């Protein structure tokens, strides 16, 4: 099995975290998105939209991180990351959809301005941050409320938690971790999930903090 990705990329990290949970070692092919390798014809033949990650498994090729992690959980042994019950599984899908629809977009807008722009020697665009921040807060508020009755988004640790984690980590790296720590249940959730050996292993790959 091969994973084409970039270790600091949030979507690559979802895939690597699932592999670590499964204790499965895939061959990692680095694609340097800062150098534009994801737009080279050789890579575009694997991913028509020119982004990472891509999974290749014995002739089967798949892109889109959320599709890849579902495939890996279904295929590989080890810790099951999809709840068995119909309602809990639907709840997991709901939270993956919430991440994609309402959280990661505005979170990445903040992260690009507050983490990546300064890291490249630039200044954050405060207008973009001001526009994105309330949308991030709204998503975190909704998650915090849900976590008052559950330790994890879908009841047990699942793919849903994994899809949220890379963005939450980058909020801390962007020095707006108070958005998380100010929310009691979300903060407790972050402490729980970020202590998992799989996440520690993936975090070590990059110096995002
Ligand atoms: N919906 C895609 C998004 C992939 C994506 O946007 N990847 C980013 C890194 S997290 C990327 O490759 N960016 C480089 C670019 O946009 O050229 C997925 O979930 O896999």
């Amino acid at each position: 099995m091969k994973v084409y990705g970039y270790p600091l990329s949030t979507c690559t990290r979802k895939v690597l975290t699932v592999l670590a949970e499964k204790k499965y070692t895939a061959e990692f092919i680095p694609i340097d998105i800062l150098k534009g390798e994801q737009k080279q014809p050789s890579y575009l033949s694997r991913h028509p939209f020119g982004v990472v990650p891509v999974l290749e498994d014995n002739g089967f090729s798949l892109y889109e991180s959320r599709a890849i992690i579902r495939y890996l959980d279904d295929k590989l042994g080890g810790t099951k990351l999809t709840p068995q019950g119909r309602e809990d599984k639907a709840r997991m899908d709901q939270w993956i959809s919430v991440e994609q629809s309402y959280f990661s977009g505005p979170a990445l807008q903040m992260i690009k301005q507050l983490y990546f722009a300064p890291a490249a020697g630039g200044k954050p665009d405060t207008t973009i941050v001001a526009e994105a921040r309330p949308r991030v807060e709204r998503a975190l508020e909704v998650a915090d409320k849900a976590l008052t009755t559950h330790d994890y988004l879908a009841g047990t640790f699942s793919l849903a938690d994994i899809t949220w984690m890379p963005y939450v980590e980058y909020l801390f790296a962007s020095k707006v971790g108070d958005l998380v720590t100010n929310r009691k249940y979300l903060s407790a959730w972050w402490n729980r999930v970020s202590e998992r050996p799989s996440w520690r292993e993936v975090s070590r790959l990059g110096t995002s903090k």
Side-chain angles (χ1 to χ4, degrees):
M1 211 179 260
K2 290 182 186 170
V3 176
Y4 294 77
Y6 183 68
L8 294 183
S9 118
T10 49
C11 290
T12 301
R13 286 187 168 201
K14 293 171 201 166
V15 173
L16 296 179
T17 304
V18 169
L19 288 169
E21 283 285 338
K22 300 285 183 184
K23 299 191 178 5
Y24 186 91
T25 305
E27 184 183 351
F28 187 74
I29 318 279
I31 301 296
D32 192 336
I33 61 175
L34 301 182
K35 290 188 181 152
E37 288 177 4
Q38 74 281 20
K39 308 296 186 206
Q40 296 301 313
S42 58
Y43 184 76
L44 287 171
S45 67
R46 296 193 162 83
H47 196 318
F49 298 97
V51 289
V52 293
V54 166
L55 178 80
E56 281 180 2
D57 181 21
N58 209 13
F60 174 63
S61 183
L62 188 66
Y63 55 82
E64 288 301 304
S65 59
R66 299 164 191 86
I68 294 171
I69 61 176
R70 285 178 164 113
Y71 173 81
L72 291 174
D73 190 39
D74 190 42
K75 166 147 189 179
L76 300 176
T79 318
K80 266 287 159 207
L81 298 167
T82 301
Q84 294 304 301
R86 180 179 295 134
E87 292 181 2
D88 287 339
K89 181 178 178 305
R91 192 69 71 204
M92 178 192 84
D93 287 331
Q94 171 195 281
W95 282 109
I96 293 174
S97 189
V98 170
E99 170 268 300
Q100 186 167 17
S101 304
Y102 312 112
F103 175 52
S104 52
L108 278 173
Q109 285 182 319
M110 288 187 77
I111 291 160
K112 280 178 186 163
Q113 296 307 318
L114 298 175
Y115 179 75
F116 287 103
K123 279 192 175 169
D125 182 330
T126 51
T127 310
I128 294 178
V129 175
E131 191 275 328
R133 188 179 170 113
R135 293 192 288 141
V136 171
E137 292 199 76
R138 174 75 185 132
L140 295 179
E141 197 60 43
V142 171
D144 185 57
K145 192 167 173 210
L147 290 163
T148 57
T149 51
H150 299 98
D151 280 354
Y152 301 98
L153 291 169
T156 54
F157 183 72
S158 75
L159 297 176
D161 302 290
I162 292 173
T163 61
W164 282 64
M165 289 165 69
Y167 308 102
V168 171
E169 180 184 52
Y170 268 111
L171 290 178
F172 280 97
S174 304
K175 300 192 171 38
V176 285
D178 59 312
L179 292 174
V180 176
T181 54
N182 286 345
R183 293 177 165 84
K184 183 176 168 192
Y185 299 98
L186 185 68
S187 185
W189 166 84
W190 176 247
N191 289 338
R192 267 192 296 279
V193 296
S194 59
E195 279 168 6
R196 293 182 78 85
S198 62
W199 183 251
R200 286 172 181 246
E201 188 180 321
V202 171
S203 290
R204 272 199 297 272
L205 289 173
T207 52
S208 63
K209 283 188 184 133

